[in-house]
Amino acid sequence: MGADGPVTYKKNDSLREAFRAAGPDVAVLETDCPYLPPQSSRGKRNEPRSIPEIAAKLAEVWSLPVEEVARRTTANASALYRWP
């Protein structure tokens, strides 16, 4: 399940609920460049530097420290893309 900018949108409770239900062990972080930036950058180009804001929102959703979100989503991406 790919998490990108829309998970931070104020009126996107249903998307956040989907991530809450799925849990952190199936999510990866993405930017969907150059479209769909996080709430703080609406109307601007989306870039990889948006990842920390996306991770912070998911940390709230899952009640986890952002470092744990980073660890889990990186592990998920590693498994998905078969990184060593």
Side-chain angles (χ1 to χ4, degrees):
M1 188 170 192
D4 53 8
V7 77
T8 68
Y9 296 175
K10 292 177 182 178
K11 295 183 179 182
N12 217 339
D13 292 330
S14 60
L15 180 59
R16 284 187 291 280
E17 183 54 39
F19 276 97
R20 184 176 291 109
D25 293 324
V26 297
V28 295
L29 303 179
E30 60 178 320
T31 58
D32 215 7
C33 293
Y35 307 107
L36 301 172
Q39 182 66 41
S40 69
S41 301
R42 297 283 302 260
K44 298 178 185 173
R45 180 182 168 86
N46 196 17
E47 298 182 2
R49 67 178 170 211
S50 300
I51 292 291
E53 185 174 348
I54 296 164
K57 181 54 74 176
L58 289 177
E60 289 177 26
V61 167
W62 293 321
S63 300
L64 293 171
V66 72
E67 296 82 8
E68 182 64 13
V69 171
R71 186 190 70 73
R72 290 190 190 193
T73 56
T74 298
N76 298 341
S78 292
L80 178 66
Y81 295 112
R82 297 185 179 127
W83 295 336

